[in-house]
Every structure is written in C-alpha cells, then in structure tokens.
Amino acid sequence: MDSVHYIEKAKQLINKKKLKELEDMVLKISDKNAIFEIGIILRELGKYKEAAKIFQQILDGDFFKNNKFLYNKVLNEYEISTKKSVLKSKPTRMHVVVTTDCNLKCIMCRVRKETYTMDDKVFNIIVENLPFLENIMWQGGEVLIYDRFYELIKLAANYHIRQTFLTNGLLLDKKTLEVIVNNDMIMIISIDSPEKEVYEKIRAGAKFDKLLEVLKQVYECKQKKPDFNYSMAVVMMSLNYNQIEKMINFAILYGFSSVYFQKYMADLSDDVLTPNEEQQKCIVEQLKYFQKKSENNEIPIRIATNISLADNYDIQKTDTQKCDIQKNAEIIGDKKKNNVAFNKSGNDRLFCVAPWKTLFLDYNHTIRFSCYCEPADIDMSQCQRNDDVWNSTAIVRYRKSIINNNLYSCCSGLCKNAGDDGKEVRK
Ligand SMILES: C[S@@+](CC[C@H](N)C(=O)[O-])C[C@H]1O[C@@H](n2cnc3c(N)ncnc32)[C@H](O)[C@@H]1O
Ligand code: SF4
Ligand code: SF4
C-alpha cells in the first residue's frame, strides 16, 4: 500500500477519534514517510502524546540514523511534540539579512538607513545550519551587493535547500541569472510601479529602463527553463494605490508567477506615503477583485497580500515599521490578541512552532522567528556556535512563553507564521 492510502486511513481514524486503532496501524507500517506524515498531522492537531510516540518510533529505528537531515527533521518534530524548550534538533528554516547596504535609496525604506553587514561569526553559524535546512530566505539591503552572496548560494546548494531571495533586481546580469536558475532559486523582485515616473520616484536611484532590460533577460531565462519561479513584490502606498491592475498586467507580461502586495509600514502617523482612507478602500477592493480572478484561474498569476481584505478591515492610521516584507497591522492586533488570550484557559496547544523551526537572523544581531515577532537581542560575543544562538536565553524564553501560552505582548495576533498551528488556537 502507498503512503497516500495510509495517510487517508489515518485521517479517517483521527476523525473518528480511534487513536488506539491508529497506533496499532502505525506499528505495522514500514513506509517511514507515511508514518512521519501521520505524526505531523497529529502534532498539528495538538495530539502531542500520540505524535511523540510516532516520532520516537521513527527515531528508534535505523532508517533515518544515517541521514542527518531527515533525522533532524524527525527529532525536531519530536521535540515540539514533547514541548522541549532547549533543543537538540537544529532549525529547519532560516531567514537571513546579509547586509543593509543598498544601491538604491527608496523613499519608504528604513532598512537602508541601518549600517550592518554580517560578520564571519554569523556567516559560520549559517554554514553550520545548512545541512539541516529545508529552506532559507536571503534578504538585504541588496543581497547582490554582499560580496560573499555567491559563496553562500554555492554552499547552500550542496544540500537540498530551497533558496529564496529578495532583490530590487537592478544588479542582475546574465551570469547572476545563470547561477540563480542553475540552483533552482526562487527570486522575488520588488517593483512598486509599472510606470517610469512613479517607479523612479519611489525607487530613488533606480532607472526604469534598466529594470526593463533586466526583466527581458529574466523572461528569456524563463523561456529556456519554464519552471524558473520568480515573483514580484509591491509596497502599496499613496503614490501607487490605483495601479494594481497595471501592475498585475506588467507582471504577467514579464512571466512572474505571483505578485505580493505588501502593506506599507510607516514610521510616522502623518506619513504622506500612507494611503488615506479612500485610497485604502480602493486597494482593498482591487485586491479582492483580482484575488478572486486569480483563484478562479481567470488570470494566469497568483495574487498574495498581507493587507487585511476582511469586509470590516481596519484602516491603518499609524504604525511602526519593524520589518519590511511582512509585518502586518498591529493596530488591529489588540482585538486579535484578546482573542488569543481568550483561548488561554484549558488549551495546551502550541499557538506557534516558529521558535522551534525558524531562525531569523535580522540586522544588528537581533533574532526573530518571523517579521512579526518582537526582536530579541543576542549577545554575539557570547555566541561561538549555532547552539549558543539557537538555545540562547532569549530563544528559550520565547519557547517557554509559547508553551505557557503567554506571548501576547511581543507577538502579533495576525502573524501568518502561526498560521499552521495558530489558526485554530486563535479562533
Ligand atoms: C528592505 S527590502 C530588501 C530587499 C531588496 N532591496 C528589495 O528592495 O527588494 C525588503 C522589502 O521590503 C519592502 N519595503 C521597503 N520599505 C517598506 C516599508 N516601509 N513598508 C513595507 N515594505 C517595505 C521592499 O519593497 C522590499 O520588498
Ligand atoms: S527597499 Fe530594498 S532596494 Fe529599496 S532602499 Fe530598501 S533595501 Fe534598497
Ligand atoms: S506567532 Fe508570534 S512568535 Fe510566532 S512567529 Fe508570529 S510573532 Fe513570532
């Protein structure tokens, strides 16, 4: 019998609450991948005892012993299921800001005002983690400026890691594109307008003609390798609020597989780039319209956003920019946080497993698990190896807080990272 059959059978038994029968079935299955998948289903449902037994069963066998990557993956799940706060398993995902240096001075960007480039210590910590990672996100500043970026790509390519990176695209050339395509990397290019004037106003220092030149080369690569996957990221501001349709058409024209419309994170409440109420309504209406079209396959592109499209969406009036790519409305967080707190009693389900899986090394030696987390400082002078970071006091404290269902002050109720596990708990 194949994995799919066992997984389906397991789901039925879980639905019927026949967990003893499920346990007996699992003991008879030799397909370790199927057993692992069943363990994950149980863990995601908060059935930790049952999940832990399954992961223990796999760890006890010889099957994964000689494969560091798979062994770590199972050990990681085991440690989540048994709610360990100090981990023997290594992170399975990373997000790294390699430098804040940039070739542009975009008007909405705060990151470029920081001065940070990761040092050898951080570099070595990344390298130490590579054998265990499923995916990694490289970010800047502009990653293509960082002189050891190609070295990192090559090192990561020795393992089975899905590498994604975020770029303004302007430094891409044939050689770089070749490296990207050959290593099956996912590329996200930030383009905030399909119109020269608006683009150059927002992306100060950029030339629209150069962008088009690069995009033609990117498109040519796609013709040669159709599974080359690249997306477009757009920050929605008062300058481009009415260009959504044009941006989608532009993205389709150049072969992008998706467009990610990002919420603008302002430093000040009276920031002129923040869309006003009417503009915000227009953004929401347009996004809803095109997202529906995308879901119905009426347009050949995926539309994603971190802007709230709920009917009674809250208009952002003030916000603090903590992280540029994802951080969502904390202004509506209070309401959501209360919802989380409401679930506190009697629920021992972990509302987020990111601190068990993801290591996000942000600039200036701060750590998080997603862009939504309140950053925790680590004292790098105390850190020689990965373990000093991964089991640092700050991270262990985060894990303990989650185990105690008590992280609401530094954790956004809207965080999508908690999506897989937090959705149910946050209802
Ligand atoms: C800081 S940039 C670094 C990567 C690269 N330089 C780029 O522009 O794509 C990361 C992402 O944050 C976006 N961003 C910059 N300022 C922002 C802001 N104030 N609010 C939301 N997103 C912002 C950028 O457009 C980009 O997509
Ligand atoms: S948004 Fe990206 S390209 Fe623009 S200044 Fe910031 S880091 Fe540079
Ligand atoms: S749910 Fe909280 S701890 Fe988890 S990633 Fe999001 S903000 Fe961070």
Side-chain angles (χ1 to χ4, degrees), residues 103 142 144-145 150 167-173 176 210 214:
N103 52 329
E142 180 49 50
L144 297 178
I145 281 188
Y150 298 94
T167 175
N168 59 44
L170 295 164
L171 298 174
L172 288 168
D173 55 22
T176 311
K210 174 69 190 167
V214 166

Side-chain angles (χ1 to χ4, degrees), residues 49-50 61 87 98 155 157 181 213 268 310 362 372 384 419:
K49 230 172 54 201
E50 293 81 2
L87 305 187
V98 296
L155 285 167
V181 173
E213 209 180 280
L268 301 167
D362 209 344
Y372 295 80
Q384 294 307 323

Side-chain angles (χ1 to χ4, degrees), residues 296-330:
N296 294 338
N297 293 323
E298 290 168 33
I299 48 173
I301 198 157
R302 210 172 66 82
I303 307 295
T305 185
N306 64 348
I307 296 170
S308 174
L309 302 185
D311 285 334
N312 56 347
Y313 61 86
D314 299 57
I315 306 291
Q316 177 191 327
K317 295 205 174 63
T318 177
D319 221 328
T320 346
Q321 179 191 349
K322 283 188 188 153
C323 173
D324 294 331
I325 179 85
Q326 275 182 334
K327 182 108 178 54
N328 213 330
E330 269 151 5

Side-chain angles (χ1 to χ4, degrees), residues 36-48:
F36 183 65
E37 288 306 318
I38 294 168
I40 300 274
I41 295 170
L42 286 164
R43 196 271 290 158
E44 285 180 350
L45 286 169
K47 304 213 171 296
Y48 296 120

Side-chain angles (χ1 to χ4, degrees), residues 99-292:
T99 183
T100 52
D101 284 355
C102 192
N103 52 329
L104 302 184
K105 286 189 166 49
C106 300
I107 52 175
M108 71 296 187
C109 178
R110 199 178 74 167
V111 176
R112 68 173 172 84
K113 294 176 188 158
E114 301 287 335
T115 309
Y116 169 84
T117 296
M118 64 183 203
D119 53 22
D120 285 354
K121 220 180 228 182
V122 178
F123 191 97
N124 293 338
I125 286 170
I126 297 168
V127 173
E128 222 186 300
N129 278 315
L130 292 179
F132 308 100
L133 296 181
E134 292 183 78
N135 51 55
I136 191 158
M137 165 71 118
W138 306 113
Q139 198 189 313
E142 180 49 50
V143 281
L144 297 178
I145 281 188
Y146 176 58
D147 56 1
R148 298 184 77 184
F149 187 48
Y150 298 94
E151 197 183 332
L152 278 175
I153 296 176
K154 277 199 190 133
L155 285 167
N158 289 325
Y159 305 94
H160 298 289
I161 306 172
R162 174 57 97 177
Q163 300 190 63
T164 304
F165 74 106
L166 198 56
T167 175
N168 59 44
L170 295 164
L171 298 174
L172 288 168
D173 55 22
K174 277 214 166 84
K175 215 170 128 217
T176 311
L177 281 167
E178 216 173 274
V179 175
I180 292 160
V181 173
N182 289 342
N183 288 296
D184 289 325
M185 293 176 76
I186 298 175
M187 176 167 72
I188 305 171
I189 307 183
S190 299
I191 302 170
D192 305 302
S193 172
E195 288 176 5
K196 181 178 166 67
E197 199 188 327
V198 181
Y199 175 82
E200 289 181 358
K201 187 167 183 182
I202 296 172
R203 300 237 138 215
K207 289 273 171 266
F208 192 67
D209 293 345
K210 174 69 190 167
L211 175 74
L212 295 186
E213 209 180 280
V214 166
L215 292 182
K216 275 185 200 130
Q217 289 180 23
V218 171
Y219 189 71
E220 275 165 26
C221 291
K222 173 110 185 150
Q223 301 306 301
K224 287 188 204 137
K225 195 163 184 279
D227 62 351
F228 176 31
N229 186 336
Y230 51 96
S231 300
M232 182 165 135
V234 183
V235 182
M236 292 312 302
M237 294 168 276
S238 56
L239 294 176
N240 62 357
Y241 78 95
N242 55 357
Q243 298 188 338
I244 290 179
E245 183 167 9
K246 280 188 186 168
M247 280 186 280
I248 292 172
N249 286 334
F250 182 85
I252 294 171
L253 184 68
Y254 285 99
F256 286 86
S257 57
S258 63
V259 189
Y260 180 54
F261 291 95
Q262 300 177 80
K263 185 184 175 77
Y264 170 57
M265 307 308 295
D267 275 337
L268 301 167
S269 56
D270 59 351
D271 189 320
V272 291
L273 296 175
T274 304
N276 63 30
E277 195 159 333
E278 210 167 295
Q279 293 167 343
Q280 183 69 17
K281 265 189 189 153
C282 171
I283 292 171
V284 170
E285 288 312 317
Q286 291 287 294
L287 287 180
K288 272 186 183 172
Y289 177 78
F290 285 108
Q291 207 165 50
K292 188 145 203 141

